[in-house]
Amino acid sequence: MAGKIVEGLIELRDEPRDDAAEGIRRLKDRGVRVLMLSGDNQRTANAIASGLGMEAKGELLPEAKLTEIGRLKETGPVAMIGDGINDAPALAAASVGVSMGGGTDVALETADAPCFEIA
């Protein structure tokens, strides 16, 4: 970049809902392990997850999410919540797949329980 100067940087990330941390706390209080599988980089996944009190595995391609679901199912049932085309294989492999209403058609069609509105 000889002779070029960076004049700005834009960083974007999804923000969790205001009530997300409470929902995760309630699940954990019931003994449910809560883990975020993300295609985002590990640093971004950690930033979101740590604010919610859960674990995160980032930089996962769809095949890696599918492998992780298979590994988790060895110890018991797994519910997977996803919203994108990259989540479809893992949604199908989970014991219960839940798709988000704002997600892609592939995720909605693959999930066992598509959610069209979360109030």
Side-chain angles (χ1 to χ4, degrees):
M1 284 191 26
K4 297 190 179 196
I5 298 171
V6 176
E7 294 188 20
L9 176 66
I10 298 173
E11 182 177 309
L12 302 171
R13 75 173 195 189
D14 293 327
E15 291 296 328
R17 291 171 43 111
D18 292 338
D19 58 352
E22 174 67 14
I24 290 168
R25 185 191 62 75
R26 288 181 178 194
L27 287 169
K28 290 172 72 175
D29 286 350
R30 289 181 170 85
V32 175
R33 179 181 178 202
V34 183
L35 170 65
M36 180 173 67
L37 304 178
S38 177
D40 292 332
N41 68 61
Q42 189 66 51
R43 185 173 145 203
T44 299
N46 287 342
I48 299 283
S50 67
L52 297 172
M54 67 171 159
E55 302 171 64
K57 291 189 179 188
E59 302 175 17
L60 299 178
L61 296 173
E63 300 81 28
K65 288 182 183 182
L66 183 60
T67 299
E68 187 64 24
I69 293 295
R71 189 184 68 74
L72 292 167
K73 283 179 70 177
E74 291 174 4
T75 61
V78 174
M80 165 77 180
I81 302 170
D83 67 351
I85 194 167
N86 292 337
D87 294 326
L91 285 167
S95 306
V96 176
V98 180
S99 66
M100 304 297 286
T104 66
D105 289 341
V106 172
L108 291 169
E109 291 171 9
T110 304
D112 298 307
C115 296
F116 293 100
E117 183 174 330
I118 298 177

